[in-house]
Amino acid sequence: MILTWMIGGAQGSGVDTAANLFGNTLGKAGYYLFGNREYYSNIKGRHSYFNLTISDKPKHSLSEKVDILTTFDAETVFQHFHEVKGHLIYNKGLENTKIDTVQSIEPELVEEISRRLGSYGNTISAAVKFAAEKGVQVIPIDYDQIARDVAFQLKVALSVVERVKNIAAVAASYGLLGLKEEYLMQSISRSFRNELYSKMNTIGAKMAMSYVKPAYDMKELPVDKRVQIDGNTASAMGKIAAGLRFQTYYPITPASDESTYIEAHQEVLTIDPDTGDKKRSPIVVVQTEDELAAVNMAIGAALTGVRAATATSGPGFSLMAEGIGWAGMDEVPVVITYYIRGAPSTGLPTRSGQSDLKFALNVGHGEFPRIVIASGDHVEVFKDAIWAFNLAERYQTPVIHLIEKGLANAYTTVDVKELDYSHIPGDRGKIVEGGENYLRFKLAEDGISPRAFLGRAHMYYTGDEHNEEGHISEASSNRIAMYAKRMKKLETADAEIPETQRVSVFGDSENVILTWGSPKGAVLDAMEMLEKDGIRVQLVQLRMFSPFPTRYVTKLLSGKSKIINIENSYTGQAASVVKEHTGIEATNHVLKWNGRPITRDEVYRSIKLILERNEKKVILDAGA
Amino acid sequence: MILTWMIGGAQGSGVDTAANLFGNTLGKAGYYLFGNREYYSNIKGRHSYFNLTISDKPKHSLSEKVDILTTFDAETVFQHFHEVKGHLIYNKGLENTKIDTVQSIEPELVEEISRRLGSYGNTISAAVKFAAEKGVQVIPIDYDQIARDVAFQLKVALSVVERVKNIAAVAASYGLLGLKEEYLMQSISRSFRNELYSKMNTIGAKMAMSYVKPAYDMKELPVDKRVQIDGNTASAMGKIAAGLRFQTYYPITPASDESTYIEAHQEVLTIDPDTGDKKRSPIVVVQTEDELAAVNMAIGAALTGVRAATATSGPGFSLMAEGIGWAGMDEVPVVITYYIRGAPSTGLPTRSGQSDLKFALNVGHGEFPRIVIASGDHVEVFKDAIWAFNLAERYQTPVIHLIEKGLANAYTTVDVKELDYSHIPGDRGKIVEGGENYLRFKLAEDGISPRAFLGRAHMYYTGDEHNEEGHISEASSNRIAMYAKRMKKLETADAEIPETQRVSVFGDSENVILTWGSPKGAVLDAMEMLEKDGIRVQLVQLRMFSPFPTRYVTKLLSGKSKIINIENSYTGQAASVVKEHTGIEATNHVLKWNGRPITRDEVYRSIKLILERNEKKVILDAGA
Amino acid sequence: MQALRKPEWNDWCPGCGDFGILSAEEMAIKELGLDLKKVVLVSGIGCSGKIPHFMRLPVSGVHTLHGRALAFATGVKLANPELEVIVNGGDGDQLGIGAGHFVNAGRRNTDITVILHDNMVYGLTKGQAAPTLKRGEKPKSLPRPNINDAINPIAMAIAAGYTFVARGYSYDVKFLKDIIKAAIKHKGSAFLDVLQPCPTYNDINTKEWYEKRIYKMTDLDPVVKEPGETVEKMTKGIARSYEWGDRIPLGIFYQNELVPTYEERIASNAPSYKNTVPANEKIVHEGKFTTLIDDLINEKVV
Amino acid sequence: MQALRKPEWNDWCPGCGDFGILSAEEMAIKELGLDLKKVVLVSGIGCSGKIPHFMRLPVSGVHTLHGRALAFATGVKLANPELEVIVNGGDGDQLGIGAGHFVNAGRRNTDITVILHDNMVYGLTKGQAAPTLKRGEKPKSLPRPNINDAINPIAMAIAAGYTFVARGYSYDVKFLKDIIKAAIKHKGSAFLDVLQPCPTYNDINTKEWYEKRIYKMTDLDPVVKEPGETVEKMTKGIARSYEWGDRIPLGIFYQNELVPTYEERIASNAPSYKNTVPANEKIVHEGKFTTLIDDLINEKVV
Ligand SMILES: Cc1ncc(C[n+]2csc(CCOP(=O)(O)OP(=O)(O)O)c2C)c(N)n1
Ligand SMILES: Cc1ncc(C[n+]2csc(CCOP(=O)(O)OP(=O)(O)O)c2C)c(N)n1
Ligand code: SF4
Ligand code: SF4
Ligand SMILES: [Mg+2]
Ligand SMILES: [Mg+2]
């Protein structure tokens, strides 16, 4: 069972709260959720929306069309009417609103929507008619009447109850599901501590529900212990679990929510290994003056032995290039959580993308070992955040953890047992006390010199080429050996980290889908859809790009009929990285660079197109 | 005829002047030169040396061994005695100096040299003996006596004439050549305007020459009009020729010499196209507060229509990542001259390398077109500097011009006619006046929108995704089109720029040497040496990395027996770029990462090793 | 002056102080009768950074990178000194990530106008503490009270070398407009600290809060009339800028036109700069380069 | 205190003012009897940046990136407040490329000591103008006179929020040593402007030049004894810092221990920081993580 739902509204108008409340209700009712928030780089007034997949089994992707679209403003209808296949709930009072009077819609988009509406006209009524003619049930709701009634009942001014429309929209859509009303009412009273708001929304919700009749016949399901988390939180939790003690950040979308979460949970509970006593320990969180400071401060902290990290996204990462190089040169374990958003430059700051992969792989002048991992879903985000620290300390090198905005701001429900990490040992690598003649950069077969913490022994660090002691050295033979020692670590890592941990494989077929990051979910969900049509494909998901699992990928891709690269970029970067390492070329490409996540429907359709017509390049464009 | 010569001495002790004086003298005598300066990241006291190839035909590389090593200090002898094959001139007064008393030699190096000297002992005498036993003519000079005599003759204190030792060392080596004494004397009087110094050096030179007898029988040769230039100057001249009007920089080795040169020649002579009148025009040169400012200030200037550039090296380039992305997003023609030095991090700041290639190719988050070219010799540096501006304006995109330290600080003599650039037309691309409804980012088939200068019409720029007018736009369809338009420019460039201009090919053979940048010279010179042994190889020199000449390189490399990649890096970056684009893998690698340039002897030996024994990877280490 | 095809929709929050700055800036440009084609607004990233897109006059806009507006603006101005360059940026933009450029631009005194949207928060990233937020304050979006001390932008600007340093308030549009006009007319780098309420995230320094406190200085003579007065006027301006609390002064804190502009300084080293606009030079004519390098080559002939 | 295996060869130019700073710093560390293992010198890039390699005491050294020493140092100190962190950097390093960190570090008042090697040139890159070089001056390696105004580091530091701001002279080693000791002992960010002749590139501000001009201030009481005095002492310190020319004052310009350090401020939000050194925490014990996240998970249970 799978149901897709959407709500939209202006930023700052309470649509966030409404969507979360709806999600919570469904979660409580035992459903798995995968939801994503799309929004403009704007604080108030521009259009934002939530796209939610609700299912009795875990799902990891979005759909292109939704069963239910619930709205209370005009823009949401204009932006999304063509995406609805089941029910469209709209504000009756806005029927005559014309598209060109909705100022928050960008001129390009007005043109496009007008073209789409064509002869239907240019009003909400036209859009609704368009949908209705395509078989959508359209449900007008008199939100103004509801607001007036609520204001009257509570004896407050109309302006006070303005926001009841959000919850009314949620409630109307909830009413279609066939679930118990009390679930929703409980969510409302949990969400609104303020008594007036709680009452107002309860009344409003009931009124709205009276407009609709159950249409989807959903039942409550038994729930295991489940959490609802977004990618930012998953990463933060993973870091904290791994023992993070120092996090720096400079505000940037979509990364800073991670740091804000850590800041709000700055005192963590720890257990004293010797006594078993529990106590609070501090995580130092510093909002720095810029990302140059953020990365270098984290590096400085890492030298003292704390697990230190920073989190940023494209523009900030660009500023970290030099610092990451120093960490590589000085063999500092530091984790950089890299949230990828729409690029280049300021780009689409609140949208998603995967076009920063090759930059992450090549950041910083010169050659130094770096480890780059990429998560494909929320559980991976959580566990990779732990893995990242283990890798950083074991190989004494910066680790870049890639998470796309499409995961960061997406949320999902996960069975708590999936977050169990007790099988992941904490690995701090070669740590020593130091002592008198300690040599921080002692040459070693595997490239890894025993590391002492700054403050425990005396030692030297420099970004210049250095000798074993850490003093500047320009001697040719020292240079050759020290450089090779550093690079050797990557070979050691390549030998030690099982390739099967660096690539995930799902299914088996002569037709392979190659992807990484968030498209994983869409591909997995599409694979189920394809399977119903009797089509089997194999998914090869790249989890670590450096050191690259060359042998395994070569083996996996050799002799396949089709290698279909699916990516949120223009040039298909992962495919070119694969080719660089293996010489094997993707045969087909499915690419999307409009900043919106890839949906399972798009994957489904593209794969069919490719298998049936051998389309070389499919360009995707779903998402308003 | 080819002769190799070397002089060394502590930084700041006048060895620069001495080496230049020697070079000028040989240049005047009609010889072609190729010289390189190696030095520590230090102002005074550490060892520096010049390695010079002198020939009757143009040469473009250094040798591993030198015919003549002339010295006046102890360190130079210790660092280089094993590299001499002909004559070693040294300071008699230092014969008993022990290696471990020379404090400026790094401890790693002391150990290494001591090992090399082995049972010979640990003094200058030991080193001299080592050389003598290998057949080297050793020439002790009593520099102290010379200094005393000069001081006496001129009636000045001994301390005043300390520096006569430099010129004496030069003169002694000059005496071996068999060239007319007056050439040297003229050079001395041209170099030293100060009468006392001129006299002192003239007398000292004569005295030193009396220690030696001609051994090389060189003759003066007829000279065409020839210039002696280093890479920094060649780049500066090219930029000025191309119409540079705005240059920013932040001091950094080895880039800032370019900017200092431009600053010193800030008012250029121009010819008025309409009247034929000549006048002076200013080049604005700004020493900025950092490289963030440098790149962004140049971009700002470029918006107004001037040809604007900046020059930097690794650490500075790392800081330019974000700015370059903005220029890519906003289609700004800006040239970044990227001097590559020993990396990563601060690395070997005064040494050479090629390990920044992939960073340059992938700099900045996200995808945007960028053009990356690399020069292999001084003439290419000059012409590429012009080409860079033409490309930048034609494709409205940042152009990165790669020059290694090994070219920047190397000098050569070039026939003036080689610098003729009258066949290169100035190409400013699509420029318009603008006018009322000017759209800076108008969609165009070839991706190139007509460009008006800021101040001529009103227009908008933003690093956010934008519409044709330059206003922020997040609409999906606009994003798809605008992004594709930008990327289209690279395809247009790929279609327009002849691939033969992007790859240079020398010779023909089933065995190909693949390289780029400064190793070109060493390879060409080695090819002559190999030819004498009856060995033919082909050189494929990559000149442009983006857009990559995929078809031509594929054609060139397909079906070859051996593809030997020669590079100043650890991982062989150009080879991996080639593989990424063509799927073709180098069969053998010759790699060097000690910061010293590749010599022709190393190439010669490596190729033999590879052709004879199919050595997979040859690691080079020449150069003190 | 012609209207745009269609003005961009202004997506600042209702009640945002940025509206006042926009209006004042438009009025100042209009009243000064500037050639609009030659007016270039250079801005940083933040709510404030969007200002060029929202201006209803057909000037040009360059919406740059977070913290880098001053670098871009300097490039624009020096390459074409005929342009009127105005920089707008947030407090995070100019004094956090951009502080290095802010300080070093003061040392140049390029003839530009710099307007700080001082709302004490990082607006566009959802209300984190900006460098002008006082220590201990906790506007609603901060999880915990701010632990950084505030920068005093006026003191910093005077110390850095700006030659016109003033403060305005975004809802007193008329006064602000007059100060912007003075800043534009000023020869050299003019810096304007504009107190800008952010009703969405800053619930401490609100309109009401300011309007109880601000007043226009009448007792300070900020103008340096001869070089000897410089240090005295600078320190007086700095001292006054620390007045903050019950009373917050608006107006000019320091002004000095005796310091040469960067343009003048360039011309002192390269006299041709005085009467040549680099951006107007025809560097290529019918495919031929107009710059001659024979002299440079001859210098290098062996 | 044990000697190093072999001290690094010091490759500064003969007569460089950096030698005096090195000696004074060594003496200060020795005389304060600090635990040498816990002393960390963090430096930038430049001649000055090499100082940790040259120190003859077995302290630790972190030779960082050009302009970034303060960021590294802050990370070191906050992760392990038991360490004594001293930052050395050039004027280009700290006030040019590092100006943003310089200003913003003042706002934190972390308990570190910052020493500026003020030689007015970019030494290691061959003598270009540094931000403290006065406009119009032309030390020998500049092709043309400097066209930037100089930064006044003392004024800038006070304005930025450093709570101990002083000036020393590199050849008066004893006086400098005493000031460094005071700076290290000071609770909060201490900034020291050290006049450092560069005999190789700065032929204007030489030893002789300085020694005719410098004097030790005795008439300024720089210490803030109660909060009400703050602005007055700050502005007095700033005003005095403009004295430059025939007479150049050395000594403390401003000192204020009433401002809480960043460490104290962190502890005010996270009390466990008061008695926990993050760097000493055992975050992994026999392969098991010691941090418990059950509460965090429970918060998110649906
Ligand atoms: C290098 C970089 N880091 C971070 C960001 C994210 N960012 C966008 S706006 C903003 C803050 C804006 O605050 P402020 O400058 O005060 O402007 P306001 O929104 O308050 O006007 C930040 C940090 C960015 N765009 N670039
Ligand atoms: C990002 C970056 N830009 C430029 C450089 C080159 N660089 C090395 S030292 C130096 C200047 C040093 O001057 P200063 O900081 O005053 O120190 P000093 O040598 O005078 O002690 C510069 C610019 C660098 N290392 N990194
Ligand atoms: S967040 Fe604040 S500064 Fe930004 S637009 Fe809204 S009110 Fe204005
Ligand atoms: S260049 Fe100047 S600052 Fe650097 S070591 Fe030499 S004298 Fe000292
Ligand atoms: Mg702000
Ligand atoms: Mg300096």
Side-chain angles (χ1 to χ4, degrees), chain A residues 18-84:
Chain A
N20 282 332
L21 192 146
F22 183 81
N24 288 339
T25 316
L26 273 289
K28 281 266 177 222
Y31 286 88
Y32 287 96
L33 308 173
F34 188 90
N36 178 53
R37 182 166 162 242
E38 282 296 324
Y39 53 106
Y40 279 78
S41 177
N42 153 270
I43 300 300
K44 283 190 179 171
R46 294 264 186 200
H47 178 59
S48 75
Y49 66 95
F50 281 77
N51 184 341
L52 190 66
T53 288
I54 303 158
S55 175
D56 51 355
K57 284 195 286 294
K59 290 278 166 245
H60 301 96
S61 67
L62 303 174
S63 66
E64 195 173 321
K65 306 256 163 179
V66 292
D67 293 308
I68 301 172
L69 170 66
T70 188
T71 75
F72 54 94
D73 67 338
E75 177 159 358
T76 306
V77 177
F78 283 126
Q79 289 235 24
H80 301 280
F81 67 90
H82 62 293
E83 295 171 349
V84 193

Side-chain angles (χ1 to χ4, degrees), chain A residues 226-242:
Chain A
R226 244 176 243 170
V227 290
Q228 180 175 330
I229 42 170
D230 57 36
N232 291 122
T233 311
S235 173
M237 277 188 189
K239 283 174 147 177
I240 294 173

Side-chain angles (χ1 to χ4, degrees), chain A residues 39-42 46 106-109 112 115 292 313-319 321-322 325-330 338 342-352 355-356 358-359 362-368 462-465 467-468 472-481 483-488 491 568-573 576-577 579-583 585 593-596 617 619-624, chain B residues 39-42 46 106-109 112 115 292 313-319 321-322 325-330 338 342-352 355-356 358-359 362-368 462-465 467-468 472-481 483-488 491 568-573 576-577 579-583 585 593-596 617 619-624:
Chain A
Y39 53 106
Y40 279 78
S41 177
N42 153 270
R46 294 264 186 200
E106 293 160 304
E108 297 79 48
L109 213 49
E112 191 179 333
R115 271 199 305 279
L292 300 160
S313 98
F317 191 78
S318 275
L319 294 175
E322 198 196 9
W326 195 93
M329 181 62 144
D330 277 287
Y338 188 170
S345 199
T346 314
L348 292 176
T350 59
R351 313 278 177 182
S352 197
S355 65
D356 299 3
K358 283 175 73 180
F359 181 44
N362 293 290
V363 71
H365 57 288
E367 296 167 308
F368 55 89
T462 174
D464 285 68
E465 190 56 271
N467 58 22
E468 288 186 315
I472 301 172
S473 168
E474 302 199 16
S476 165
S477 53
N478 177 77
R479 165 70 166 181
I480 294 173
Y483 197 131
K485 174 191 109 72
R486 282 191 298 273
M487 298 305 285
K488 187 69 209 295
E491 290 167 43
N568 272 114
S569 71
Y570 182 94
T571 55
Q573 299 191 5
S576 79
V577 173
K579 190 166 170 197
E580 179 189 350
H581 288 282
T582 67
E585 192 160 357
W593 61 85
N594 69 346
R596 282 69 172 174
K617 195 172 182 174
I619 294 168
L620 309 181
D621 63 0
Chain B
Y39 53 104
Y40 278 78
S41 177
N42 153 269
R46 294 264 186 200
E106 292 159 305
E108 297 78 51
L109 214 48
E112 192 181 332
R115 269 198 306 279
L292 301 159
S313 101
F317 191 80
S318 273
L319 294 175
E322 197 194 11
W326 195 92
M329 181 62 145
D330 276 285
Y338 187 170
S345 199
T346 313
L348 292 176
T350 59
R351 314 277 175 182
S352 197
S355 65
D356 300 3
K358 284 176 73 180
F359 181 44
N362 293 289
V363 70
H365 56 286
E367 295 167 308
F368 55 89
T462 174
D464 285 67
E465 191 56 271
N467 58 23
E468 289 185 314
I472 300 171
S473 167
E474 303 199 14
S476 165
S477 53
N478 177 78
R479 164 72 168 179
I480 294 172
Y483 197 131
K485 175 190 108 72
R486 282 190 299 270
M487 298 305 286
K488 188 69 210 292
E491 290 167 43
N568 273 114
S569 71
Y570 182 94
T571 56
Q573 298 191 6
S576 79
V577 173
K579 189 165 170 197
E580 178 187 350
H581 288 283
T582 67
E585 192 160 354
W593 61 85
N594 69 347
R596 282 68 173 175
K617 194 171 181 175
I619 295 167
L620 308 180
D621 62 0

Side-chain angles (χ1 to χ4, degrees), chain A residues 27-28 225-229 233 237 240-243 245-246 261 265-271 273-274 278-282 284 286-290 292-293 296-297 299-301 303-304 306-307 322-323 326 382 386 390 413 416 419 421 424-426 428 436-437 439 453-464 469-472, chain D residues 2-6 8 36-38 40 45 50 52-55 57-66 68 70-80 83 97 100-102 104-105 107-108 262 266 269-274 276 278-293 295-302:
Chain A
K28 281 266 177 222
K225 196 173 175 190
R226 244 176 243 170
V227 290
Q228 180 175 330
I229 42 170
T233 311
M237 277 188 189
I240 294 173
R245 284 298 175 276
F246 201 94
Y261 176 89
H265 298 82
Q266 190 171 14
E267 292 205 292
V268 291
L269 200 64
T270 56
I271 179 156
D274 300 320
K278 291 183 182 173
K279 64 166 180 108
R280 291 272 157 204
S281 287
V284 178
V286 185
Q287 181 191 325
T288 57
E289 57 272 30
D290 59 21
L292 300 160
N296 293 319
M297 203 180 285
I299 294 168
L303 295 177
T304 70
V306 298
R307 286 196 154 180
E322 198 196 9
W326 195 93
F382 173 75
I386 302 174
N390 283 344
T413 42
V416 167
L419 298 182
Y421 60 101
I424 309 179
R428 304 212 60 188
E436 264 187 38
N437 284 315
L439 298 175
F453 299 160
L454 202 60
R456 302 279 175 92
H458 84 91
M459 66 191 74
Y460 300 92
Y461 286 98
T462 174
D464 285 68
E469 202 173 351
H471 285 305
I472 301 172
Chain D
Q2 70 278 20
L4 274 185
R5 295 180 310 161
K6 193 187 172 199
E8 285 293 294
L36 297 180
K37 264 208 326 280
K38 294 207 181 319
V40 181
I45 294 287
K50 295 180 181 175
H53 299 289
F54 298 156
M55 184 160 280
L57 303 172
V59 300
S60 286
V62 186
H63 179 206
T64 70
L65 290 166
H66 193 43
R68 313 295 160 213
L70 274 171
F72 280 87
T74 307
V76 170
K77 179 71 183 179
L78 296 180
N80 189 345
L83 303 184
I97 193 167
H101 306 306
F102 183 79
N104 281 284
R107 300 173 48 220
R108 283 190 283 262
Y262 204 65
I266 293 174
N269 281 344
S272 61
Y273 187 63
K274 225 169 290 166
T276 319
N280 292 342
E281 291 276 273
K282 214 179 185 115
I283 53 163
V284 171
H285 181 64
E286 291 172 3
K288 283 198 113 52
F289 296 106
T290 62
T291 309
L292 307 172
I293 63 162
D295 291 353
L296 307 186
I297 288 189
N298 287 332
E299 261 181 28
K300 294 288 173 186
V301 167
V302 284

Side-chain angles (χ1 to χ4, degrees), chain C:
Chain C
M1 184 189 326
Q2 71 278 19
L4 275 184
R5 295 180 310 162
K6 195 188 171 199
E8 285 295 294
W9 183 63
N10 186 324
D11 73 4
W12 286 325
C13 308
C16 176
D18 285 338
F19 285 102
I21 303 179
L22 174 61
S23 299
E25 205 164 318
E26 285 178 341
M27 286 164 64
I29 291 169
K30 263 201 240 177
E31 290 185 13
L32 287 171
L34 301 175
D35 177 355
L36 297 181
K37 263 209 323 281
K38 295 209 179 317
V39 176
V40 181
L41 307 190
V42 181
S43 66
I45 294 286
C47 297
S48 44
K50 295 181 180 176
I51 197 169
H53 299 289
F54 298 155
M55 184 160 279
R56 284 146 299 190
L57 303 171
V59 299
S60 285
V62 186
H63 179 205
T64 70
L65 290 166
H66 192 43
R68 313 294 161 214
L70 274 171
F72 280 86
T74 306
V76 170
K77 179 70 183 180
L78 297 179
N80 189 343
E82 289 181 347
L83 303 184
E84 194 59 67
V85 176
I86 303 172
V87 178
N88 287 78
D91 34 18
D93 193 85
Q94 294 197 19
L95 300 173
I97 194 168
H101 306 308
F102 183 78
V103 166
N104 281 284
R107 301 174 46 219
R108 283 190 284 262
N109 198 34
T110 311
D111 190 12
I112 57 177
T113 301
V114 182
I115 298 176
L116 181 77
H117 296 232
D118 187 354
N119 59 8
M120 298 163 186
V121 291
Y122 282 82
L124 195 52
T125 48
K126 300 190 294 193
Q128 296 89 349
T132 47
L133 185 69
K134 304 283 181 235
R135 175 159 50 85
E137 299 208 327
K138 192 190 147 329
K140 62 186 176 194
S141 56
L142 262 61
R144 302 175 190 275
N146 179 26
I147 60 173
N148 294 294
D149 271 303
I151 279 182
N152 174 339
I154 301 277
M156 196 57 69
I158 297 175
Y162 288 80
T163 50
F164 178 105
V165 179
R167 182 185 283 140
Y169 169 61
S170 67
Y171 291 122
D172 188 341
V173 175
K174 197 188 147 309
F175 183 74
L176 181 58
K177 181 245 333 176
D178 288 336
I179 282 206
I180 294 178
K181 281 170 71 177
I184 292 176
K185 282 193 290 189
H186 172 77
K187 184 175 78 65
S189 292
F191 170 71
L192 227 75
D193 175 29
V194 185
L195 305 173
Q196 175 237 317
C198 163
T200 301
Y201 293 118
N202 189 335
D203 51 354
I204 298 171
N205 310 97
T206 60
K207 190 166 185 298
E208 297 65 41
W209 190 89
Y210 278 122
E211 291 180 4
K212 261 188 266 166
R213 290 168 170 82
I214 49 171
Y215 73 96
K216 288 163 195 158
M217 287 185 289
T218 50
D219 56 328
L220 185 80
D221 172 11
V223 183
V224 177
K225 280 146 215 131
E226 45 114 1
E229 285 180 6
T230 307
V231 170
E232 185 210 326
K233 297 260 158 143
M234 282 173 86
T235 43
K236 280 211 173 128
I238 290 175
R240 187 59 172 267
S241 75
Y242 283 101
E243 182 178 353
W244 184 273
D246 291 348
R247 284 170 62 73
I248 300 174
L250 302 183
I252 302 174
F253 288 77
Y254 175 71
Q255 182 166 14
N256 185 353
E257 286 206 336
L258 306 177
V259 181
T261 64
Y262 204 66
E263 297 86 316
E264 289 165 349
R265 302 179 198 174
I266 293 174
S268 74
N269 282 343
S272 62
Y273 187 63
K274 227 171 282 161
N275 38 38
T276 319
V277 172
N280 292 344
E281 292 276 273
K282 214 180 183 115
I283 53 161
V284 171
H285 181 64
E286 292 172 2
K288 283 196 114 49
F289 295 107
T290 62
T291 309
L292 307 173
I293 62 162
D294 309 66
D295 291 351
L296 306 186
I297 287 189
N298 288 333
E299 261 181 28
K300 294 287 171 187
V301 167
V302 284

